[in-house]
Amino acid sequence: MNFHILEECRRCLQCRKPSCTEGCPVGTEIPKMIRLLLDGNINESGEMLFRNNPLSAICALVCQHEKVCEGHCILAKKQSPIQIGNIEHYISDYYLNVLDPQREEAHNHRVAIIGSGPAGLSLAFFLVLKGYGVTIFEANEDIGGVLRYGIPAFRLPKDILDRMRSRLREMGVKIRPNVLIGSIVTVDELFRDGFDAVFIGTGVWNPNKLNIKGECLGNVTYAIDFLRSPDAFDLGASVVVIGAGNSAMDTARTALRQGARSVRIMYHRGPDDIPARDQEVQYARIDGVKFEFYRKALEITEKGIDCEILRRPEGAEKDPDGEPGGHVFIDADTIIVCISQGPRSNIVSNTTGIDINNKGLVVVDDCGRTTREGVFASGDVVTGPRTVVEAVAFSKRVEQAIDCYIRERCTAGCPPGPRRRKNPSK
Ligand code: SF4
């Protein structure tokens, strides 16, 4: 066993009221996970993690540990916190190869899951453990959604998703890839064909636009399109990424790995305002990414970006947008726009009764029930872009609501939510 992992486990104080668990959005029993490992029960530890969070192996790699479990570890106050992410990864990555959890007896109820990103994937595992027949409908050729097509392999190795696909199939989950629900197969048709409930976890795949002149030129792309298949792009020598979130760091680091000589991140605010995780910014700097702060894109040409220089007002401690201070032209062969995403509308525009808000996000109550009876949703398509573990936490509540709805036709019991309509196809 890895010596470092054991050393970390032995440092854990096994707190009676573990603040690490309180800081975890899915309440992972961290001291128990560590205790089981130290006692030689890695499978038991892995199963405990998996039942609580089927995406444990992924969260262990991509969670913002400094903000959740590790940030809440009691040891963080005086020394370094327990490296919980590394320990969880060791256990969950191992367990994913041997995973064979006890399941409830299979019954005849079936659930259609549209989208296999974090929300849909975790829900599929939760439901199949309860004996449901689960079919995943995926628009892409493989499962994973943003995990496969939005996070680069150097941060999240794709073999984890491949192993999850194998485990899902072994557990009886049907996966239908390359199918667009909404325009080709409709929600009404899913109910017609015997699904008792439909879950929408389609994420956010429409890039936000700058809405400036030149955005349609051939040297411009959106991060979500670039990260999906970086090999499809001829970047040239110099790349500018507009935006400074985690996805922008992923984009910049991927561009360097694709052969770009110079990659700069352009941001309209200052270094203290960067929305990306500190760790991601540091890795970007290590990889050689440079930063252009207080630059606002005005127009894109085939040679680069005409920018307005924004300056921090004198005396201001933290400046949101700065002040105009002239123009600068930033040369770039390729410009990648990375200023967040919104949902696509192909499902809600092809069915009735599913309300969306003014941002196009699906309206649900606290249990993930949409305004249409029998249709549930969670993840980014409801909340906008959030973390993987938040999507898992939401899907846990949805799983209970679906189970309650199907077994007891229960449409109440959760905190007050939006008004629901009867399913028009039933
Ligand atoms: Fe161990 Fe830190 Fe959690 Fe205490 S708070 S149980 S020391 S990981």
Side-chain angles (χ1 to χ4, degrees), residues 22-307:
E22 283 169 22
C24 173
V26 289
T28 303
E29 292 185 72
I30 291 156
K32 186 175 176 187
M33 162 188 91
I34 291 174
R35 188 74 258 154
L36 285 168
L37 183 69
L38 284 173
D39 289 346
N41 298 318
I42 190 168
N43 280 345
E44 210 180 314
S45 185
E47 176 154 352
M48 186 267 295
L49 288 172
F50 174 80
R51 282 190 177 278
N52 179 59
N53 173 8
L55 304 196
S56 168
I58 290 171
C59 289
L61 292 176
V62 302
C63 260
Q64 303 193 25
H65 298 108
E66 72 280 8
K67 286 192 179 162
V68 288
C69 55
E70 291 178 16
H72 285 74
C73 173
I74 193 89
L75 293 175
K77 290 179 183 161
K78 291 193 173 167
Q79 45 180 296
S80 58
I82 301 295
Q83 299 291 300
I84 297 164
N86 285 333
I87 298 170
E88 184 178 0
H89 175 65
Y90 186 89
I91 298 165
S92 294
D93 194 67
Y94 171 86
Y95 183 70
L96 202 48
N97 293 327
V98 297
L99 185 159
D100 186 21
Q102 282 271 319
R103 278 170 271 160
E104 290 180 26
E105 200 173 324
H107 46 75
N108 291 330
H109 294 304
R110 293 193 290 153
V111 178
I113 293 180
I114 308 170
S116 62
L121 212 47
S122 51
L123 182 66
F125 278 116
F126 285 133
L127 287 171
V128 80
L129 287 174
K130 280 206 166 165
Y132 282 94
V134 175
T135 301
I136 292 175
F137 297 86
E138 171 54 55
N140 293 299
E141 65 177 15
D142 211 338
I143 64 159
V146 70
L147 302 169
R148 185 180 291 276
Y149 297 105
I151 299 179
F154 58 82
R155 275 217 305 128
L156 179 63
K158 304 309 172 206
D159 76 285
I160 295 182
L161 291 162
D162 297 343
R163 283 183 283 155
M164 280 190 173
R165 183 191 53 220
S166 300
R167 298 298 92 82
L168 281 167
R169 284 190 167 139
E170 286 160 13
M171 292 162 88
V173 173
K174 293 187 175 64
I175 299 172
R176 188 168 161 179
N178 293 335
V179 58
L180 203 56
I181 300 292
S183 49
I184 309 300
V185 176
T186 68
V187 170
D188 291 343
E189 288 168 334
L190 292 174
F191 282 120
R192 178 200 67 192
D193 290 348
F195 288 99
D196 298 281
V198 173
F199 171 78
I200 302 170
T202 42
V204 284
W205 291 95
N206 266 5
N208 289 346
K209 292 164 69 172
L210 291 167
N211 290 316
I212 60 171
K213 192 173 176 204
E215 201 169 353
C216 302
L217 294 176
N219 57 333
V220 184
T221 188
Y222 295 100
I224 197 87
D225 300 328
F226 171 65
L227 290 172
R228 174 189 290 270
S229 49
D231 289 342
F233 293 83
D234 179 11
L235 297 176
S238 61
V239 172
V240 170
V241 178
I242 300 177
N246 287 327
S247 191
M249 303 304 143
D250 283 344
T251 301
R253 296 174 69 197
T254 302
L256 283 167
R257 284 161 175 76
Q258 290 297 115
R261 296 277 178 83
S262 148
V263 176
R264 283 167 289 174
I265 283 183
M266 195 180 113
Y267 186 44
H268 67 288
R269 296 182 179 177
D272 295 340
D273 304 305
I274 291 181
R277 255 177 111 182
D278 258 7
Q279 185 179 313
E280 300 305 326
V281 176
Q282 283 173 32
Y283 274 120
R285 288 190 193 279
I286 289 171
D287 284 357
V289 175
K290 306 282 185 240
F291 288 79
E292 296 270 1
F293 293 114
Y294 298 111
R295 301 284 183 269
K296 181 182 173 190
L298 295 178
E299 181 180 344
I300 297 174
T301 73
E302 286 176 342
K303 301 219 179 297
I305 314 164
D306 180 26
C307 303

